[in-house]
Amino acid sequence: MKVLHVTNMYPTREKPYYGIFVKRQVDSLLRRGMDCRVRFIGRGLAQNLKSVIRLGEDVEWSDIVHCHFGHTGSLVLPWKIVKKRPLVVSFCGGDLLGNVGKNGRYMAKESVLALVNSLASRFFDYSLVQSAQLMERVRSRNKKIARYGTDTDQFREINREESKKAVGLGGYEGKIIFFMGQKDVPVKNYPLFREAMGRLRTEHKCLCLGNISSGNMVEMMNAADVCVLTSFHEGSPNVIREAMACNRPIVSVDVGDTREMLEPVEGCFVTSHDPGQIASAVSKALEHPKTEARERLIEMGLDTEGAASNIMAVYNDILSGSV
């Protein structure tokens, strides 16, 4: 089986963590013996269009075209019609929900693009989404929840004191709170995190996710007493699953599928977007040195191998004509 993966998210030397979950999925399929090609079309509409126009030979080679992110699927749709290849699209969140600007409000342009993706999904052979919330937005006849997998070999518990040293906090006796987002990405809602931490009556320092390698991420998570997510919206946040794989206490606002993943786990808490409630949940989470969230993650089949099985089942259904 030959699968062409087309994506506007993929790791580069400059941004080693950007779209890493797409690479992990492709790598897991390659380990299963699949023949995969990846075409990274870059960012920005002009660059996307130029890259997509050049895909003809790759589409011709493939048995299935799998696009990652709704914008990419909408752009590649004409090739499905011209080359008559099945088109699978993985939606991630903002491609169906829109995006937030620096003022903390949803942007009109992004909302229009999200609507276009929703309408275009009617013509996709299969739509894969990260959560039940996104399922409601797609119009494909064939659709299912198929989350990206987490590399549980890489994301795991490691020595906490060594991790603290690695992030520059060796010997620090206070609490360490890890904000699982980039400060300058509006949808991650750093101002809410900052306000909530201002209400915390415990000595603490905050770590923030930046443009770092996944190796650094493992150290930051293991150094943290609590990992916190305050986004306006998410599909199925990869950072939550990665923190689960490290058995860290987690506090997340109720976005995407966080409630489904975290609610059964002692030491993990799901809250509203109220800063007082977030601060209270962090205080409770600090009472737990670790969790058993990794067990929950694997039970849900959210490791890379479980996710690969889910994706391969979709491909097989398409090629067998059962969908």
Side-chain angles (χ1 to χ4, degrees), residues 17 24 154-155 158 212-220:
Y17 201 69
R24 288 183 188 134
Q154 184 171 32
F155 286 90
I158 58 176
I212 59 176
S213 73
S214 52
N216 296 134
M217 174 85 90
V218 173
E219 291 164 340
M220 292 179 87

Side-chain angles (χ1 to χ4, degrees), residues 59-71:
V59 176
E60 185 75 39
W61 165 86
S62 69
D63 297 309
I64 292 175
V65 179
H66 187 165
C67 292
H68 301 267
F69 207 70
H71 299 1

Side-chain angles (χ1 to χ4, degrees), residues 173 233 269 294:
E173 297 297 328
H233 71 246
F269 300 86
R294 183 183 179 91

Side-chain angles (χ1 to χ4, degrees), residues 78 87 119 139 151 220 222 247 273 282 305:
L87 178 60
L119 294 171
R139 308 189 185 197
D151 186 346
M220 292 179 87
N222 277 278
N247 275 334
H273 283 77
V282 169
E305 295 311 306

Side-chain angles (χ1 to χ4, degrees), residues 5 44 54 147 195 198 205 240:
H5 294 267
R54 301 189 186 108
R147 302 173 179 95
E195 183 177 353
K205 289 184 182 294
I240 290 287

Side-chain angles (χ1 to χ4, degrees), residues 19-237:
I20 187 68
F21 51 91
V22 177
K23 184 179 187 302
R24 288 183 188 134
Q25 185 172 98
V26 173
D27 288 346
S28 67
L29 295 171
L30 288 169
R31 287 195 296 271
R32 297 291 188 94
M34 296 193 65
D35 195 354
C36 298
R37 285 185 187 178
V38 177
R39 292 296 177 260
F40 175 45
I41 63 173
R43 301 189 69 182
L45 184 59
Q47 184 178 354
N48 289 168
L49 284 171
K50 288 179 182 178
S51 299
V52 167
I53 289 170
R54 301 189 186 108
L55 286 177
E57 184 177 326
D58 291 311
V59 176
E60 185 75 39
W61 165 86
S62 69
D63 297 309
I64 292 175
V65 179
H66 187 165
C67 292
H68 301 267
F69 207 70
H71 299 1
T72 305
S74 295
L75 288 171
V76 171
L77 183 57
W79 280 121
K80 162 187 162 55
I81 298 167
V82 172
K83 297 292 186 179
K84 295 181 172 56
R85 293 296 188 274
L87 178 60
V88 177
V89 178
S90 288
F91 290 94
C92 300
D95 44 4
L96 287 170
L97 299 172
N99 215 337
V100 176
K102 292 181 179 180
N103 61 1
R105 297 179 181 178
Y106 282 85
M107 297 180 285
K109 176 185 174 183
E110 296 294 328
S111 296
V112 169
L113 288 173
L115 177 59
V116 169
N117 293 333
S118 176
L119 294 171
S121 69
R122 178 179 299 174
F123 304 100
F124 301 158
D125 293 273
Y126 223 117
S127 289
L128 307 177
V129 298
Q130 306 299 303
S131 67
Q133 180 189 19
L134 298 184
M135 183 78 84
E136 298 173 359
R137 302 290 181 106
V138 294
R139 308 189 185 197
S140 303
R141 184 179 66 178
N142 303 305
K143 55 187 178 180
K144 69 184 296 187
I145 294 175
R147 302 173 179 95
Y148 288 97
T150 298
D151 186 346
T152 50
D153 291 330
Q154 184 171 32
F155 286 90
R156 66 194 192 284
E157 289 186 73
I158 58 176
N159 183 276
R160 185 138 191 274
E161 291 305 315
E162 291 300 318
S163 296
K164 289 170 68 174
K165 289 178 184 178
V167 300
L169 290 174
Y172 177 64
E173 297 297 328
K175 301 300 183 182
I176 300 172
I177 315 296
F178 179 32
F179 173 65
M180 296 192 292
Q182 293 179 316
K183 288 183 183 180
D184 58 352
V185 177
V187 74
K188 301 302 179 182
N189 205 357
Y190 177 73
L192 175 58
F193 171 80
R194 185 177 56 204
E195 183 177 353
M197 293 306 96
R199 301 187 183 196
L200 198 62
R201 297 180 179 179
T202 303
E203 181 189 348
H204 67 279
K205 289 184 182 294
C206 295
L207 296 173
C208 293
L209 174 63
N211 184 28
I212 59 176
S213 73
S214 52
N216 296 134
M217 174 85 90
V218 173
E219 291 164 340
M220 292 179 87
M221 286 181 170
N222 277 278
D225 291 282
V226 181
C227 299
V228 181
L229 185 76
T230 56
S231 302
F232 283 102
H233 71 246
E234 293 280 353
S236 178

